[in-house]
Amino acid sequence: MRRPAPLLVPVLAVVLLLSACGSERADDRNSGSRAASQPSLTQVTEPAVDGVRIVALALPSHSSSPAESASPTPSPSDPSDFRVTPDRLDRPTDSRASRGYAVYTVANEGPEALTYTIAFAFMTSTGEVMETRRETVSAVAPGKTVRSQVELGALAPGASRVTRVKVAGVTKVPAAEAPGGTGDCPASGTRLWADEGDAAMGLRVVGLHVEYCGKGEYTVDGYPLLELLDDDREPVDGVKILKGSKEITTGLGDETPRPVTLKSGETAVARLVWRNTTGFGTPVNVPYVRVRAKDGAAAVTVTPRLDLGTTGKLAVTPWQRPG
């Protein structure tokens, strides 16, 4: 007698179903892992600082100590804190976002295009600044608002948890006068910018750099031309600009003015030198300096924020080749 064929189809269906369930659980676990690694982006509401407003935060939920294991609520007595609301915003897919980031807007309510440089402080619940990040937003047109984000960098192992972000400082210069050491060569054929500077025993030194990126050659001779400006980019009175730093320090070496001829890609450097000594009188702070590499050159506004104390003096050295 011929026996019936075995029921392979139901068994195969069960195997496939179990495999699918296992796959689904694995996908769920992977999805949960991915979700855990990407902090949620939460809308915040705070007043703007000089046109810059933080509108959303995504901060890691992991902690480095038991005291940081709970998500603290920012103190309402601190106006720089950010009150979190339930509204959610889309978050970017960049894997670096797992470190944490802030979304911000920049609104230009002025009559001309401006380039903004913004300092963001990433802070703990106790107000300790774990990292300060600087972002540049170029050529924001008058009446326009742009949106961008700033990311928290990689902190040291064991660092305290970041729970808030605030706008720590904003400088804005006319877009046509914005400094730049990268990007396309400007129509002027030169790029001019200020470095981060150096400080020792009350002496402050900030380098001014001019790079020629045009065709042929470019010559600077003597000293850059300076105009000191206040927070409203209006002239600052009462500061004497010295040619040469000998009256302030003798430690910068030979400062004999001489022509420096640059080929494309070459750079010359001059230095702003001052002491922030405070005595009788009102301390002077200069947030902006409008610089021309030479007479007739295009103006560039840099933001070294000169804290001149009550000395009333700022020295500038002549253009020289670096080194």
Side-chain angles (χ1 to χ4, degrees):
M1 179 176 178
R2 186 176 181 181
R3 296 183 180 182
L7 299 178
L8 296 177
V9 174
V11 175
L12 180 60
V14 171
V15 172
L16 291 175
L17 179 60
L18 291 175
S19 298
C21 290
S23 175
E24 183 177 355
R25 292 192 191 97
D27 288 344
D28 288 343
R29 288 194 296 270
N30 291 337
S31 176
S33 176
R34 287 192 298 268
S37 67
Q38 292 289 333
S40 298
L41 184 63
T42 308
Q43 183 178 350
V44 299
T45 55
E46 278 297 325
V49 177
D50 255 354
V52 180
R53 184 192 305 274
I54 296 180
V55 297
L57 295 177
L59 298 176
S61 59
H62 68 273
S63 60
S64 58
S65 66
E68 293 285 354
S69 60
S71 297
T73 301
S75 168
S77 63
D78 185 353
S80 66
D81 291 339
F82 300 107
R83 296 183 293 277
V84 177
T85 66
D87 301 54
R88 300 285 173 174
L89 302 174
D90 293 335
R91 64 172 181 248
T93 58
D94 191 334
S95 61
R96 291 175 298 174
S98 61
R99 300 174 184 167
Y101 60 96
V103 179
Y104 64 95
T105 60
V106 180
N108 180 5
E109 299 178 355
E112 61 181 334
L114 298 173
T115 290
Y116 292 73
T117 300
I118 310 151
F120 295 93
F122 287 79
M123 306 168 64
T124 67
S125 59
T126 60
E128 180 184 4
V129 177
M130 301 305 298
E131 183 181 37
T132 299
R133 304 281 283 186
R134 285 180 171 78
E135 296 285 310
T136 297
V137 181
S138 300
V140 181
K144 298 295 184 181
T145 298
V146 300
R147 181 184 178 103
S148 188
Q149 72 181 56
V150 54
E151 297 170 349
L152 174 64
L155 300 180
S160 299
R161 180 185 165 206
V162 171
T163 63
R164 61 182 105 166
V165 186
K166 74 173 183 180
V167 178
V170 179
T171 57
K172 47 191 178 183
V173 302
E177 297 183 5
T182 60
D184 295 336
C185 186
S188 64
T190 59
R191 300 187 182 102
L192 193 150
W193 68 95
D195 61 30
E196 293 296 322
D198 192 13
M201 299 296 290
L203 180 68
R204 302 291 188 266
V205 181
V206 168
L208 299 176
H209 304 259
V210 60
E211 178 189 11
Y212 184 55
C213 53
K215 298 179 180 179
E217 296 179 337
Y218 183 81
T219 299
V220 288
D221 189 2
Y223 303 86
L225 307 177
L226 309 179
E227 185 179 2
L228 308 185
L229 307 176
D230 62 16
D231 283 313
D232 298 319
R233 298 196 303 279
E234 296 293 333
V236 173
D237 297 324
V239 177
K240 184 178 181 181
I241 298 178
L242 307 172
K243 290 186 175 181
S245 65
K246 302 299 184 185
E247 190 172 329
I248 295 177
T249 181
T250 58
L252 296 184
D254 179 31
E255 295 181 2
T256 304
R258 55 176 60 90
V260 180
T261 299
L262 305 175
K263 296 180 180 179
S264 185
E266 293 183 335
T267 303
V269 61
R271 293 176 175 83
L272 304 179
V273 186
W274 74 98
R275 292 189 182 275
N276 61 349
T277 307
T278 301
F280 293 104
T282 302
V284 176
N285 292 297
V286 180
Y288 299 97
V289 181
R290 182 174 287 131
V291 183
R292 288 180 171 82
K294 62 180 180 180
D295 190 26
V300 172
T301 300
V302 297
T303 55
R305 192 161 288 278
L306 312 178
D307 51 338
L308 301 179
T310 56
T311 63
K313 296 177 182 178
L314 173 68
V316 57
T317 68
W319 290 115
Q320 296 177 322
R321 291 192 179 277

